[in-house]
Amino acid sequence: MTRPATFQKLLRRGHLRVASAAVMTFGCTLAVIAHVLMSGVQERHLELVARTLSYSVEAAITFRDEQTAGELLRDIAGREGLVDARVLLPDGAVLASHVTPDSGPVDRLMRRVGEVLMHSEARSPVLLDGRTIGLVRVRSDGTLYAWLLVYGAVGAVLCIGASLAAGTLMTRRMERSLIEPINQLAALTRSIRSERTYDRRAPPARIAELQALSEDFNAMLDEVQLGQAELLATHRRLQSDNDLLAHKAWHDELTGLANRSQFERRLQEALNSTGARGGHLAVLFLDADGFKAVNDTAGHAAGDRLLTMMADRLRTAVRETDVVARLGGDEFAVLLHPLRSVDDARRVGQKIHSLMTQSFDLDEHGHFHCGLSAGMATYPLDGDTIPALLDTADRAMYRAKHAGKRARHKPLTGQGTPYPTPHDKIAQ
């Protein structure tokens, strides 16, 4: 595929063509005018020379004086630039003649050119008392006219050269005012396209059309930048919505704790990690005792506040690597991982027991004491799958809930051992 010409080349080429055409047109027009004028002048000049010569040779023709006629011809031919002069008798015989010899091939060529381009012959009768006694015929030397043409052609070439030089200088000046702003705008466009920097703007131009182009380009960049800002804002909103949806999908809406889905996912990850590296983990199931009474006595808003406060206390009782989840209603679960031994899980259980024995401040509803029943399952002692661990912990928690006061004070052990906490009365 042929590469297109640059605007700079087209501009220079156009200037050269216009300058050349203008000079050539002017030169040709001037040459035609000069040719017409000089042809007329030359024709009248030859007629005057022939008439003058006819007066001069009247006596020589009358007396048939060839020598005098020849001298007159040579004298006038030399002065008037005649190449050929003849005096003819009425019968066509030549009384006298003079031919100017060529000085060389160049002079001969110039003379021929002049004879072709100009009317170079004139005739005048020689009269005596109203009758014709002879004829004078002269031909001009066109060498001067041919050389004038040569000088004119040389001058035209020089004019063309000067015009081209002037056109080149004008083109260079126009490049600075026309092409450079276009190149700058093109470079800015490439830079914006490659770097995505839509905050850049085209500089002002001194030419009205280019200034209008720059303003339109900047307006387009404003729209692009505005559209980009809207897209970014939309993306942020969508990202925020996605994050919120993802958070809702994996967290409990009331307490902000992990929900059952996330708890089971994290438990599976912990089982995979512990099974590969060895070690222990524990699952605690917790259930608030007497929570329904809080709802019935103080209302559901107070019950929600109580659940939130319980969730906060559970967070403080475990490490960042552990997982606290709300399974639904007043049931919670805790994943303790990693563990060096089962005794670590018992210490966490004691800490949770200590925190939950403290009263909960429900503002205008007073302070409440809410008991908590707990059951624990450990890996690998109580199972190595999620269903096995959850079932063991759940059953242990329900045994603790129904075991009564004596069972609630037993120490927490492994293998699904219930871990009861005090069931205090609801007090205001």
Side-chain angles (χ1 to χ4, degrees), residues 54 67 86 99 119 128 155 169 176 195 209 276 328 389 419:
S54 65
Q67 182 178 0
R86 296 174 186 270
V99 177
H119 181 75
L128 178 63
L169 293 177
R176 289 192 294 269
E195 300 175 9
E209 290 78 4
L389 291 173
Y419 183 73

Side-chain angles (χ1 to χ4, degrees), residues 41-266:
V41 171
Q42 180 72 5
E43 184 176 355
R44 289 192 295 272
H45 174 70
L46 285 178
E47 290 177 355
L48 291 174
V49 171
R51 193 176 298 119
T52 301
L53 188 57
S54 65
Y55 293 147
S56 301
V57 299
E58 180 182 346
I61 293 175
T62 301
F63 297 102
R64 300 296 190 271
D65 188 353
E66 297 181 8
Q67 182 178 0
T68 301
E71 291 175 358
L72 289 172
L73 292 178
R74 283 192 301 272
D75 181 53
I76 292 177
R79 285 187 291 107
E80 300 299 333
L82 301 177
V83 69
D84 188 3
R86 296 174 186 270
V87 178
L88 304 176
L89 296 175
D91 58 0
V94 178
L95 176 64
S97 66
H98 174 76
V99 177
T100 302
D102 296 331
S103 60
V106 177
D107 186 59
R108 187 182 306 112
L109 176 63
M110 293 300 177
R111 181 176 296 174
R112 297 285 177 81
V113 172
E115 292 176 354
V116 171
L117 295 177
M118 296 192 67
H119 181 75
S120 58
E121 182 174 307
R123 298 185 181 193
S124 179
V126 181
L127 302 176
L128 178 63
D129 297 331
R131 61 187 180 85
T132 301
I133 62 173
L135 179 67
V136 174
R137 189 181 70 184
V138 296
R139 285 193 306 114
S140 67
D141 186 358
T143 304
L144 180 62
Y145 180 71
W147 279 112
L148 182 61
L149 290 179
V150 173
Y151 294 146
V154 173
V157 171
L158 294 178
C159 289
I160 292 176
S163 300
L164 295 181
T168 302
L169 293 177
M170 293 178 62
T171 302
R172 298 287 175 82
R173 297 184 65 179
M174 290 190 67
E175 288 176 6
R176 289 192 294 269
S177 60
L178 180 62
I179 297 180
E180 287 185 2
I182 294 178
N183 290 336
Q184 291 176 357
L185 185 60
L188 178 63
T189 303
R190 289 191 295 269
S191 175
I192 293 175
R193 183 185 64 182
S194 60
E195 300 175 9
R196 304 293 182 181
T197 52
Y198 298 108
D199 57 338
R200 302 180 64 181
R201 294 295 180 268
R206 293 180 294 178
I207 301 176
E209 290 78 4
L210 293 180
Q211 177 63 23
L213 179 61
S214 297
E215 291 175 355
D216 292 340
F217 183 77
N218 291 336
M220 181 185 66
L221 288 178
D222 292 338
E223 294 180 2
V224 172
Q225 193 172 13
L226 179 61
Q228 187 184 39
E230 292 177 353
L231 287 176
L232 289 176
T234 303
H235 175 73
R236 293 191 185 97
R237 288 196 300 271
L238 292 176
Q239 186 66 37
S240 177
D241 293 343
N242 289 336
D243 293 342
L244 180 60
L245 291 175
H247 185 273
K248 288 182 177 180
W250 297 107
H251 292 82
D252 176 60
E253 186 174 358
L254 175 63
T255 62
L257 297 177
N259 59 14
R260 181 181 292 273
S261 297
Q262 183 180 182
F263 181 79
E264 293 181 356
R265 179 175 66 87
R266 295 287 297 275

